[in-house]
Amino acid sequence: MNIFADSAGPLLSALGTTIMMAVIAGVAAIVLGTIVTAARISPIPVLRGIAFVYVQFFVNVPLLVLLILAVFALPDAGLLLPLTPTAIIVLALYEAAYVAEAIRSGVNTVGTGQIEASRALGFTLVQTLRLVVVPQALRAAVQPIGNVMIALTMNTALAAAIGVVELTSEANKLNLVQAQPILIFSVAGLVYMALALIIGLSAGRIEKRVAIKR
Amino acid sequence: MAHAPTSTAPAMVQMTAVQKHFGDHHVLKDIDLTIAPREVVVVVGPSGSGKSTLCRCINRLETITSGSISVDGVELPSEGKALARLRAEVGMVFQSFNLFAHRTILDNVTLAPIKVLGQPRKEAQAEGLQLLERVGIADKSDQFPAQLSGGQQQRAAIARALAMKPKVMLFDEPTSALDPEMVSEVLDVMTSLASEGMTMVVVTHEMGFARRAADRVIFMDDGRIVEQNTPADFFDRASSPRAQAFLSKILPH
């Protein structure tokens, strides 16, 4: 176990980077995904079209391709960002498409009667969405969104491929020195599992707390 | 009997030459209907006759193909904020209650007054509790819709609509989804509302309510208003063969 103790500092800092990327990209993906869903179910055809294309694009292009594209294409477009923020932005944009799909499945659980009642009371479309549809849809979407967050956390490992020093990248570095791949990557895998477990349990707790009393 | 409609008052609801199609299906045919303020109109007819659609057209939950509808002298706006404002003045009670499942009963009643009318929360809650008291479920104010019986939910839905102080109330088969023993508690609330002078359009199969509370009964069949009359004349001396056939099927012999 000495090999981990000797590199504890860099490893912990790399784990911090992984968690930071997951948290920032996760929050951004939930916000953006909610907006995309709102556009997707709006009565304005242009918005619906844009949201549909957005989801289809990000669901049908591999994340690694997007990351590499962003690293090389964005500087060409005059946008020079450090690698970690670039990875976070790409992760957020990518996972927002999956969040949008999760929330849309939640929206489908909200009956049309709820929407008719809102309209009959004089709510505008935005009020209907904000006060009635989204709160109920999010409740139904807590577990699916939790699964997207777990996938997002696992996907942060791909940022290693574009040079972000996060957990997988640091584990790889350590392996180059120590040549103990099975041990090192097993431990890295266990850490990812622990993160996934925390997210999954949190989602379960949130779901219980916001559950609609029946 | 409630209030004799006065012919001089401007119409609360005016439908003129209204046509409605669902695809190829012609659901409403040449509907002309004038409802006076404080009038209680009960719409009856066989299922598929278009009576629910007629009710839902009045606040534009259904759009019409042609013709015109106005409420209190204002032509129904097409979409957007103007339509929302008009809907705020028209209360609606649905067959399936449609209470907001994620909100308490009191929240259900106060949400629209606070968000649509801009009423202060404290005031809305005080008035909301009074309304819940009036429909007999003040003790349920902190509970969620699914914790209430159907009859209680429907009474809460009536209170929710009344909280907006509507000019007219639409009831779309309000008791059709209820267990038989809960029908009367809802009808009692509606009857007292009628006697207080609320303008009401009620689509129902409850002929006892029609007799007791209606100023006018409208009989629809196949998308048309076939016959309209006072309840006494309609039930005892229906003139059209279709109304007679309908009544002979539903009235106890």
Side-chain angles (χ1 to χ4, degrees):
Chain A
M1 280 305 180
N2 270 342
I3 60 171
F4 294 111
D6 292 346
S7 316
L11 276 174
L12 281 177
S13 134
L15 175 61
T17 303
T18 292
I19 292 173
M20 189 239 333
M21 290 201 320
V23 169
I24 298 177
V27 171
I30 289 172
V31 172
L32 185 59
T34 308
I35 295 169
V36 171
T37 309
R40 190 111 190 240
I41 58 177
S42 79
I44 304 158
V46 178
L47 283 182
R48 279 208 304 270
I50 292 171
F52 176 77
V53 170
Y54 180 94
V55 170
Q56 289 306 314
F57 175 77
F58 283 104
V59 166
N60 289 304
V61 178
L63 178 57
L64 187 55
V65 171
L66 292 172
L67 283 167
I68 293 169
L69 261 178
V71 166
F72 290 105
L74 287 185
D76 268 9
L79 194 66
L80 199 58
L81 277 178
L83 289 174
T84 308
T86 304
I88 290 174
I89 290 169
V90 173
L91 271 169
L93 292 173
Y94 177 81
E95 299 293 349
Y98 290 90
V99 170
E101 287 296 86
I103 298 177
R104 197 165 65 99
S105 72
V107 168
N108 289 338
T109 67
V110 182
T112 53
Q114 299 279 309
I115 295 161
E116 284 192 343
S118 317
R119 291 163 72 201
L121 284 167
F123 290 152
T124 59
L125 173 73
V126 173
Q127 285 177 322
T128 301
L129 290 177
R130 191 165 54 82
L131 298 170
V132 178
V133 178
V134 171
Q136 294 188 53
L138 284 180
R139 283 169 165 82
V142 168
Q143 273 302 356
I145 290 174
N147 293 339
V148 174
M149 292 300 113
I150 289 173
L152 183 154
T153 307
M154 304 301 112
N155 282 340
T156 58
L158 282 175
I162 59 165
V164 176
V165 184
E166 44 64 74
L167 188 58
T168 301
S169 159
E170 192 60 43
N172 198 30
K173 251 195 228 167
L174 187 60
N175 183 44
L176 289 177
V177 179
Q178 304 286 350
Q180 295 230 40
I182 295 174
L183 174 63
I184 290 170
F185 283 100
S186 297
V187 171
L190 284 174
V191 172
Y192 279 112
M193 271 177 73
L195 292 177
L197 195 66
I198 291 168
I199 298 170
L201 289 176
S202 310
R205 286 187 72 127
I206 293 171
E207 188 176 45
K208 251 194 207 122
R209 179 141 3 125
V210 301
I212 296 167
K213 280 190 194 146
R214 305 252 176 223
Chain B
M1 184 74 50
H3 305 264
T6 46
S7 54
T8 51
M12 182 57 80
V13 178
Q14 176 84 53
M15 303 177 86
T16 312
V18 170
Q19 311 281 348
K20 163 79 183 169
H21 294 81
F22 283 121
D24 289 340
H25 187 41
H26 198 171
V27 211
L28 293 180
K29 300 171 181 167
D30 301 318
I31 300 289
D32 286 299
L33 178 62
T34 306
I35 298 170
R38 303 170 73 85
E39 191 178 11
V40 176
V41 172
V42 170
V43 186
V44 301
S47 61
S49 60
K51 53 193 194 303
S52 267
T53 307
L54 178 134
C55 185
R56 291 163 56 85
C57 283
I58 296 175
N59 64 353
R60 217 169 190 278
L61 281 185
E62 302 285 354
T63 55
I64 56 178
T65 313
S66 67
S68 78
I69 300 177
S70 62
V71 174
D72 200 20
V74 180
E75 176 98 14
L76 282 190
S78 48
E79 271 298 331
K81 287 217 159 51
L83 179 61
R85 260 198 302 280
L86 183 131
R87 280 175 173 153
E89 299 179 339
V90 179
M92 181 142 197
V93 175
F94 298 88
Q95 179 175 351
S96 49
F97 329 136
N98 296 347
L99 292 172
F100 302 132
H102 62 307
R103 296 282 193 150
T104 64
I105 296 303
L106 185 59
D107 278 350
N108 264 277
V109 175
T110 59
L111 194 61
I114 292 170
K115 300 291 182 184
V116 176
L117 303 180
Q119 196 176 25
R121 179 173 298 272
K122 282 262 183 314
E123 195 182 307
Q125 286 178 336
E127 290 187 16
L129 277 172
Q130 277 175 17
L131 281 168
L132 290 177
E133 188 82 47
R134 177 170 161 194
V135 299
I137 50 169
D139 56 324
K140 306 288 181 193
S141 63
D142 291 333
Q143 301 204 335
F144 285 83
Q147 296 172 306
L148 272 60
S149 73
Q152 291 167 337
Q153 285 190 58
Q154 193 60 300
R155 285 185 280 155
I158 294 173
R160 175 175 70 173
L162 290 177
M164 296 296 283
K165 304 185 180 68
K167 293 174 175 171
V168 51
M169 287 276 286
L170 310 175
F171 293 84
D172 186 5
E173 304 208 20
T175 57
S176 298
L178 295 176
D179 291 336
E181 76 270 23
M182 291 170 185
V183 168
S184 68
E185 66 191 53
V186 171
L187 290 181
D188 286 348
V189 171
M190 290 167 60
T191 307
S192 83
L193 203 55
S195 69
E196 286 160 28
M198 175 62 76
T199 310
M200 292 166 63
V201 179
V202 184
V203 175
T204 187
H205 297 288
E206 296 296 330
M207 298 303 147
F209 172 80
R211 261 187 200 278
R212 194 161 69 239
D215 294 308
R216 177 159 48 134
V217 176
I218 288 179
F219 174 72
M220 287 186 72
D221 191 23
D222 193 27
R224 285 180 203 282
I225 294 178
V226 177
E227 185 169 348
Q228 44 184 317
N229 217 329
T230 61
D233 282 344
F234 175 74
F235 288 113
D236 300 334
R237 288 178 288 280
S239 55
S240 65
R242 278 189 288 182
Q244 286 165 358
F246 173 74
L247 287 172
S248 74
K249 275 181 215 148
I250 56 153
L251 291 181
H253 300 281

